[in-house]
Amino acid sequence: MDLDEAVTELYAAPLEEFVAVRTRLAQAAGRPAAAEIKALRKPTVTAWLLNQLAREHTDVVATVDDLGRRMRAAQAAADMTALRELRPERDAVLRDCVAAVRDVAEEHGRSLSQAGADEVSATVIAALADVESQAALASGMLVKTLSYSGFGEVDIDDAVATRARLRVVTGGDDEGGDDAGGDDAGGDDEGGTDAADPDEHDLAASALARAEAEHARVTHEAQVRLQTAEAELAQATTELQDAEAALAAARERASAARQEARRRGRERDAAAKRVAEARRGSPRS
């Protein structure tokens, strides 16, 4: 068994069986593959779910790839109209990916938390902006989720099991099967006029990532402000209810005290009247 076969089997295995499967594969492999297999890292829960998505729902990952190509092409051409028109599709793809990963989780007896859903969205945003991130997502061997800072390329060195086996799809049927860094990685175009300059792609990806990061930041801040306001409102409502209850209790105590004072006043007046009558009726010495 070579490393490619081991990676394919290992990252498709149930997450709870990862260590046991890795040990078995390493024992079955010869040197030096055994050492490489032992060094393969266990993925996070969300990364494992994305790996299963890449295996079980290739149509979803293909949709991300297609949209990413069109968004990067529009950005490279500075076609702001096209980018605006793609925004609803981009939002729909993010929702669909989160829903698909949630379905994958349920199919495997797991659940996707809100934090996990946010990680899925961040990974898809990175895949839309960066071609290597798309390849990492499609590879099915993520060990952690991806995020795009908005500048330069996404650092995927520690995000995939082995980058040497990462297949980077750069466009065109005859480029789709090339390994990253392979002899044919440059394609067969020989500098044709339709090919965008690498620097333009970098600038486009960077600009797109900055826009995505800003959108995510603004959305997050708005959510935080809303949650804070809701928490403050709930706290204020509780305090108001407590104050109203305390006021009602104080009013009841005050009313009871006034009634008691009036009762005692009446008793005092009655006692004074009896004393006065007793004095008037007693014989004088």
Side-chain angles (χ1 to χ4, degrees), residues 61 129 143 165 241 248:
V61 178
V143 296
R165 269 70 179 177
Q241 292 172 343

Side-chain angles (χ1 to χ4, degrees), residues 194-232:
D194 291 337
D197 184 81
D199 291 338
E200 292 180 359
H201 280 301
D202 289 344
L203 291 174
S206 178
L208 176 62
R210 285 195 295 271
E212 298 290 0
E214 178 65 14
H215 175 74
R217 182 188 65 80
V218 172
T219 300
H220 176 70
E221 290 181 353
Q223 291 174 340
V224 170
R225 287 196 296 270
L226 176 60
Q227 292 171 354
T228 300
E230 290 175 341
E232 291 176 348

Side-chain angles (χ1 to χ4, degrees), residues 48-49 52-53 56-57 60 95-112 120:
W48 181 84
L49 290 173
Q52 308 322 303
L53 177 76
E56 301 169 10
H57 299 272
V60 175
R95 290 193 298 270
D96 290 346
C97 285
V98 171
V101 173
R102 184 168 282 114
D103 289 342
V104 169
E106 293 178 357
E107 291 167 4
H108 290 273
R110 294 182 174 270
S111 61
L112 182 68
V120 171

Side-chain angles (χ1 to χ4, degrees), residues 5 12 46 74 81 90 96 111-113 135 212 223 229 231 260 273:
E5 294 172 331
T46 307
T81 300
R90 173 261 191 196
D96 290 346
S111 61
L112 182 68
S113 65
E212 298 290 0
Q223 291 174 340
E260 178 66 15
K273 184 177 180 181

Side-chain angles (χ1 to χ4, degrees), residues 201-282:
H201 280 301
D202 289 344
L203 291 174
S206 178
L208 176 62
R210 285 195 295 271
E212 298 290 0
E214 178 65 14
H215 175 74
R217 182 188 65 80
V218 172
T219 300
H220 176 70
E221 290 181 353
Q223 291 174 340
V224 170
R225 287 196 296 270
L226 176 60
Q227 292 171 354
T228 300
E230 290 175 341
E232 291 176 348
L233 175 60
Q235 179 65 26
T237 300
T238 299
E239 292 177 353
L240 177 60
Q241 292 172 343
D242 291 344
E244 289 176 341
L247 177 60
R251 284 174 174 169
E252 290 180 359
R253 290 194 298 273
S255 176
R258 286 194 295 270
Q259 292 176 359
E260 178 66 15
R262 285 195 294 269
R263 184 185 65 79
R264 292 190 179 188
R266 289 193 297 269
E267 291 178 351
R268 184 183 64 248
D269 292 343
K273 184 177 180 181
R274 289 195 298 271
V275 169
E277 290 175 348
R279 287 177 176 175
R280 286 195 300 271
S282 61

